[in-house]
Structure formats: structure tokens, C-alpha cells
Amino acid sequence: PDLLPACNGEITTMSFLQDVVDILLQYVVKSFDRSTKVIDFHYPNELLQEYNWELADQPQTLEEILLNCRTTLKYAIKTGHPRYFNQLSTGLDMVGLAADWLTSAANTNMFTYEIAPVFVLLEYVTLRKMREIVGWPGGCGDGIFSPGGAISNMYAMLIARFKMFPEVKEKGMAAIPRLVAFTSEHSHFSVKKGAAALGIGTDSVILIRCDERGKMIPSDLERRILEAKQKGFVPFLVSATAGTTVYGAFDPLIAIADICKKYKIWMHVDGAWGGGLLMSRKHKWKLNGVERANSVTWNPHKMMGVPLQCSALLVREEGLMQSCNQMHASYLFQQDKHYDLSYDTGDKALQCGRHVDVFKLWLMWRAKGTTGFEAQIDKCLELAEYLYNKIKNREGYEMVFDGKPQHTNVCFWYIPPSLRGMEDNEERMSRLAKVAPVIKARMMEYGTTMVSYQPLADKVNFFRMVISNPAATHQDIDFLIDEIERLGQDL
């Protein structure tokens, strides 16, 4: 009760916030200190019992509140730590962090220029720049920042459906034919999730075969489109992936664009993970053909290291999002306002309340320039290649697919000494399947590093190492290899 807006609360407020900032700054410094743990792991029931997390009727003192802040960060995973490799979004950018703090202090909503003037203009400028980089002339088109790549992909589906059957907005699915979408078997689960949410149904998402590197096979796509049409279904969307989640594969966008053009189907590119490569002159060829897409998902919170969350959907045709989603709520989008109403962007979103996500990206872009992002991305890809070269012929390692990785995903099995002489049979497979989970559990208990694993199709659990943290170095890659060997030696 002593904090603002309490009467004479300024001094207490300043000292409280100063203490919070001190806690945060200590955490930031610790995040980059390699001698600290990435994680102080406790099992859920231990953590629940060790502290009192319950909500009470009576207020706590500010000392206790500060203690809560410390405790929370004590058990937080240091996602900015140079040895945290677990997710596609890692790192802790100082300018991005500053922007996030400012955004929270400004505490406004993205739906109208009326209450978010600078933020709305920055979204306009930033999305146009991203569309320019995708290759649409003059950055033309439309777009929005959404709460993550899954929602961006769902927007693409929604808009593609509306473009083909605008009556679906009023009449619903009963009024239109049975739709089908196509995506690769290595694509992100959000494509099916979007189909479920939009009432299209997961059975209407047809998975296209991939080659051994995880890229969609165009001839199989065409075959399945023809098959669907013969059954009387209407193909309305192909979602190509630029940077798959596990292999980091890039679908052949030019061949896919040709097929979409031939059959008049909306082409979406899910570049949530790989979109950042467009910032690099050295690597952007991997997305050749992206400029032919009707829509693109691109998550700056992954490869570009913007704090979570920051995901953009870019649409080539202007005005389509607006017609698809607008509801003309007269208490927000009054038509007789005294400024240019095109800046009231809220009605093209599915959300009403929309968080300001653009400021982090915009401020980081100002601080680094395009060349700064490029250097950061090139460095991560160079580290992935270093890891690949280091383990491809090393005893005890087997690559999941041949050839150097196209993105920073390096997929491999660690083969403990006890399995090295064994012939390749069922027993070896079932023993190998248990190796990565045990090593991962030990990593977390020691708190030294974190890297992800998973099975895929007929392949048993393997490590998927990804690098998107500009703080990582060659030494951290060396450390990871030593650590896997140290923790898996006896298995």
C-alpha cells in the first residue's frame, strides 16, 4: 500500500523498483557467466513443497515481494546462458530487454493509433521493411505481429480460406466445399492445430513426403493435389517450411510456387525458424522463391534473438486481412475520428487486446542495423558447421542425415562405448533410444547445459542441437561434446 499511487509514495516506489532492477541486473550478469548453472533443477513436487506459493487474503511486505522475485529467478532457466541450446529461441539481448521494459511501462494496446501512436507507426515501418526483405516490390502488402508462429500460420490459413470463399465469414464451413491443405511430413504441428481450430479438421491436412534431408518432394505434392481434386475436395493452401523444427530443412520454394500457380492454390511459407536467414547475404539463397508466396510467417524471436514473443505474419495482398477479420466495433473503430483511420490496425487482427511486440525488434534493428543481425546469424551458422565437422567422423557419433546442415540444426546420435561394437538390430535400437533421455536428465540435474532430443518417424531418440544464441562460442560447442561424453560414457 506504500507504493504509488499512494500519497507520498514516490520514495518507497523508487527504492522498491531500484531493488527490483538490482535483482534483474544480477541475473543478467549471471546469465552470461559460464561458471554458473544453466538450470537449478528441482522436481515439480519438490519445488511446490519447498516454498509457499499460495495466494493469501492479507498483503505481504515489500521485503517478501522482493524475495519472491529472487526465488523466481533462482529457479528460472537461464535461456540467455551461452550453453543453453534447448529451444529455437535462445539468448538475451540487452537492447531487446530494454525495449521490453519500456513496452511494459508504456502498457498500451496495439489496436488503435489513438492509444498507441508511436507503436502503430513502428509496426507499419517494420512490417514494410520485412516485406521488402522477403522480396515484394516496395514492401507492398500487409501483415501483423501475432502471439507466436502457430497463430501466424493459423492467420495464413484463415486468410487463404477467405480469399477463395469469402462467404465463409458469415455462413461458416457448411456453406463451402470440403477444403484440403498440404504441408510436409516434417512441418510444424501448428498447421494441423490451425486446421482443427478453424473447423477445417486435421484429416483435411495432407502430409507430403520428404526426402532424406527433410525437404518436401514437389512431385509428391502435385500427385496428392490431383488425388484430392479427383475426390472432389478443394485444395486451398500449401504450407511450405523454410527451416523445419527438427532437421532445419528448407523446402524447394520455387518448385512449390510453380505447382501453386498451376493449380491456383495459396502458397504460405512457414519461415518461423528459417526466416531470419533472409537477413544474411550469405545464406538467404536457401529461401529462393519466397517472394512468390502469398503469405510468410517469420519469427524474429528465434534466429534473430528478439525477446519472446515476436512473430510476424506477412501477406502479399493488401486489404485482405482487414476484409477477412474486421467486425467494425463502433466503440473502438469509430469512423469519424480526426486522423487517418488506416492506422487503426486492430480490426484486421483476431485478437482485440494485442501486446506491443514490435518495439523490441525495431529498437534492436536500430541498434544493430541489418548488418548486425547478419553477423549474428552468420556466426550461429558457422558454429553449427563447426559442430558438424567436429562430430561427423568422431568415434561415438552418428549423424541422423548425411551432409552439412542447412540451418543451425545438427542432428546426431551419441553411441556409448557399450553399443559401439553391436550389430544393427532391434536390441541395439531399443538401447540407443534410451541414451539421449538419460544424458539429458543428467545434464539438467548437473545444470551444466541443455540440448533437446526427440524420435522422428523410424529413427529412435537423437539429439537436435540448435544454435541461435550469439553468446555461444567454439568453446561452448567443445564443452557440449565433452559433457555428452562425460555423462554418457557408462551407458
Side-chain angles (χ1 to χ4, degrees), residues 379-397:
K379 179 190 168 186
C380 289
L381 279 129
E382 190 274 315
L383 283 177
E385 201 173 328
Y386 171 78
L387 170 62
Y388 167 72
N389 289 331
K390 198 171 154 114
I391 63 177
K392 65 177 177 189
N393 300 316
R394 188 182 178 99
E395 195 192 4
Y397 290 86

Side-chain angles (χ1 to χ4, degrees), residues 9 11 36 45 53 66 102 131 139 172 215 218 282 298 315 321 325 389 434 448 465 475 486:
I11 292 171
T36 63
N45 55 338
W53 305 98
L66 290 168
L102 185 144
R131 291 192 297 267
K215 297 165 181 286
K282 187 177 172 187
W298 173 356
V315 182
M321 280 192 95
N325 294 326
N389 289 331
K434 298 188 181 88
T448 47
M465 170 66 180
Q475 288 85 343
R486 176 178 84 88

Side-chain angles (χ1 to χ4, degrees), residues 113-259:
Y113 179 83
E114 181 179 329
I115 63 162
V118 178
F119 296 135
V120 163
L121 294 180
L122 295 184
E123 184 165 83
Y124 171 79
V125 168
T126 307
L127 288 169
R128 189 182 60 200
K129 177 77 171 174
M130 291 171 85
R131 291 192 297 267
E132 225 171 82
I133 289 171
V134 163
W136 295 333
C140 68
D142 208 338
I144 199 161
F145 283 93
S146 86
I151 304 292
S152 294
N153 287 344
M154 188 168 87
Y155 267 120
M157 221 171 227
L158 185 70
I159 298 161
R161 177 176 72 176
F162 176 81
K163 173 75 177 167
M164 195 177 261
F165 295 103
E167 64 273 27
V168 73
K169 182 175 173 181
E170 288 81 16
K171 307 263 188 302
M173 289 296 281
I176 64 170
R178 167 87 188 268
L179 301 179
V180 283
F182 305 85
T183 190
S184 91
E185 55 189 4
H186 283 215
S187 70
H188 194 256
F189 67 84
S190 56
V191 179
K192 281 194 165 179
K193 204 164 241 205
L198 297 176
I200 292 163
T202 55
D203 286 354
S204 301
V205 177
I206 295 170
L207 300 182
I208 306 304
R209 292 221 322 275
C210 292
D211 65 16
E212 65 289 342
R213 293 289 308 256
K215 297 165 181 286
M216 188 194 289
I217 300 171
S219 59
D220 193 54
L221 171 65
E222 186 160 23
R223 184 177 70 79
R224 302 300 297 268
I225 288 172
L226 290 168
E227 214 172 79
K229 286 167 82 95
Q230 273 158 4
K231 291 181 182 160
F233 301 152
V234 177
F236 82 107
L237 170 124
V238 173
S239 180
T241 313
T244 59
T245 312
V246 180
Y247 281 9
F250 290 81
D251 285 344
L253 302 182
I254 294 171
I256 292 169
D258 289 342
I259 292 170

